[in-house]
Amino acid sequence: MPSTYLESLQKNGFVVIPALLPSSSLSSLKTAATNSTTAARTGKWPHFRTVPKQFPPWPEDVPPPASEGGIWGVQHLLHPDMPGREEFAGFYFDEKVLNVVEELLGLDNDGKGRGEGGEEDEEKLVMELFNLLVAPENIDFELSWHRDDIPWTATATEEAFLLASKSPGGRQSHAQYNFALCGDSSLIVIPGSHRRIRTDVERNADPYEPNLPGQLVVELKPGDAVFYDSNILHRGVYKAKPESGEESRLTLHGSVGVKDIDGASAEDKKIRATAVLQHGVGTWVHRDDAAFGKGTEKWGRAEKMRANLAAMGSGEGVGFSLQG
């Protein structure tokens, strides 16, 4: 069995970390997530993912009624206008989370992602995306099989090239995770598929095939996290929440990047910037009120990571990685 998180990620394409945070610390996060979901469902928060759309761009109007599926995600938890932002930021920049990120990105834990010089050295990590995945009301919803930024229409030759170029030396330029505030069994993966092209069975299967060979349902308890390679073959299956009932899925979905990765070309970096900026973070990350803690020591690293995201640009004209 792999002995480290990084070895597990490289071998299987995902790694489950039980009790990344203790369940006793989840109450305030769960309250903030519930409030954010209510705001998005009722049109008081304008950034959301709607059923049946799977990829951005996301709608900008009032979300559809529950009878049509409503929303399945809340965007931009670190936006300066997001109620509960400090609670979400406290998790996103938590040392326990970033320590795992640093291992998975192959960074020196002693350097805390800042380089050999320590605190005053250049910050290597990049604040990227932080969203919330929720259960639609009244309607079950499924995502099709996909890799996050390799088109399903890619030929075998194209797929092999893209898989290699997006993970030079077996390392990705970001770490991506789901962190469960409620029990969650929505993510389905095919272990090891992040390092190979699709089999003929996978390539010819129905996009919503419920039983592909080797698939595994990732079971998370509250406080558990799964970190996964963004180009593992995976899909989501979301069971409906009864209208006006208690939220049945509240899963924090985040990614943290690294500024430089050995072997990554300028084109690779441009592609990663598109994957991040397509979600609209570039429209607000530069705002003065997007600063964390107004320069206090507690938020010093968060500010450096935010600056690294701001350096990617506004996102205007970058396009979209996938369609649908």
Side-chain angles (χ1 to χ4, degrees), residues 194-207:
H194 63 308
R195 290 287 180 266
R196 62 165 176 79
I197 63 172
R198 284 166 289 170
T199 66
D200 288 342
V201 170
E202 292 163 350
R203 185 174 295 276
N204 296 317
D206 184 275

Side-chain angles (χ1 to χ4, degrees), residues 29 32-33 36 45 76-93 127 130 284-294 299 302-303 306:
L29 262 177
S36 297
W45 181 251
H76 304 313
L77 300 185
L78 300 179
H79 192 293
D81 297 332
M82 166 61 75
R85 182 201 195 210
E86 185 164 333
E87 194 71 44
F88 294 128
F91 173 84
Y92 186 87
F93 298 108
M127 171 183 141
F130 199 37
W284 55 261
V285 71
H286 305 80
R287 285 171 41 172
D288 290 342
D289 61 352
F292 294 99
K294 305 301 181 183
W299 297 105
E303 273 298 277
R306 181 178 73 94

Side-chain angles (χ1 to χ4, degrees), residues 40 48 63 88 91 100-101 116 120 136 141 144 181 201 277 282 284:
F48 41 75
F88 294 128
F91 173 84
V100 176
V101 168
E116 295 180 0
E120 298 304 320
F141 175 56
S144 64
L181 299 175
V201 170
L277 296 175
W284 55 261

Side-chain angles (χ1 to χ4, degrees), residues 5-304:
Y5 297 149
L6 178 57
E7 288 173 345
S8 294
L9 181 73
Q10 291 185 329
K11 174 181 171 60
N12 300 315
F14 73 101
V15 55
V16 174
I17 303 177
L20 177 61
L21 294 185
S23 57
S24 60
S25 68
L26 303 184
S27 178
S28 57
L29 262 177
K30 189 172 181 180
T31 297
T34 299
N35 291 341
S36 297
T37 304
T38 300
R41 290 194 198 281
T42 57
K44 296 177 181 177
W45 181 251
H47 308 292
F48 41 75
R49 302 181 180 189
T50 58
V51 176
K53 207 168 189 316
Q54 182 160 338
F55 303 115
W58 307 110
E60 297 181 356
D61 51 3
V62 177
S67 59
E68 297 177 15
I71 67 168
W72 64 277
V74 182
Q75 300 286 93
H76 304 313
L77 300 185
L78 300 179
H79 192 293
D81 297 332
M82 166 61 75
R85 182 201 195 210
E86 185 164 333
E87 194 71 44
F88 294 128
F91 173 84
Y92 186 87
F93 298 108
D94 188 284
E95 183 176 343
K96 291 181 180 178
V97 177
L98 296 185
N99 282 346
V100 176
V101 168
E102 288 168 352
E103 178 182 338
L104 297 182
L105 295 177
L107 298 177
D108 181 359
N109 283 335
D110 292 335
K112 297 297 183 186
R114 305 180 183 93
E116 295 180 0
E119 185 69 36
E120 298 304 320
D121 208 58
E122 181 182 21
E123 174 60 60
K124 295 180 182 179
L125 294 183
V126 182
M127 171 183 141
E128 289 192 344
L129 304 173
F130 199 37
N131 307 309
L132 179 66
L133 305 179
V134 303
E137 290 184 287
N138 299 325
I139 295 176
D140 292 344
F141 175 56
E142 299 184 12
L143 303 179
S144 64
W145 287 104
H146 64 284
R147 306 187 196 269
D148 278 356
D149 57 354
I150 296 179
W152 200 250
T153 55
T155 66
T157 300
E158 292 168 338
E159 193 174 11
F161 172 80
L162 290 169
L163 285 171
S165 65
K166 292 176 184 299
S167 300
R171 291 170 53 200
Q172 285 203 305
S173 60
H174 66 287
Q176 178 169 303
Y177 60 83
N178 287 354
F179 179 79
L181 299 175
C182 306
D184 191 343
S185 58
S186 302
L187 178 65
I188 304 173
V189 300
I190 299 182
S193 59
H194 63 308
R195 290 287 180 266
R196 62 165 176 79
I197 63 172
R198 284 166 289 170
T199 66
D200 288 342
V201 170
E202 292 163 350
R203 185 174 295 276
N204 296 317
D206 184 275
Y208 298 92
E209 168 57 49
N211 292 299
L212 278 180
Q215 73 176 43
L216 181 148
V217 177
V218 178
E219 301 278 358
L220 300 178
K221 297 177 182 178
D224 292 352
V226 57
F227 286 76
Y228 60 100
D229 188 298
S230 62
N231 284 314
I232 193 172
L233 292 173
H234 66 287
R235 65 189 293 252
V237 176
Y238 304 155
K239 295 298 182 182
K241 178 191 85 70
E243 188 172 7
S244 302
E246 184 177 351
E247 295 296 338
S248 56
R249 187 188 193 213
L250 295 169
T251 296
L252 299 174
H253 179 58
S255 68
V256 182
V258 63
K259 283 180 65 177
D260 297 298
I261 182 171
D262 294 340
S265 67
E267 181 63 21
D268 294 332
K269 295 178 181 179
K270 180 180 178 181
I271 291 171
R272 182 59 197 163
T274 294
V276 174
L277 296 175
Q278 67 178 340
H279 290 274
V281 290
T283 63
W284 55 261
V285 71
H286 305 80
R287 285 171 41 172
D288 290 342
D289 61 352
F292 294 99
K294 305 301 181 183
T296 61
E297 182 177 353
K298 174 184 176 182
W299 297 105
R301 189 173 191 192
E303 273 298 277
K304 292 178 182 179

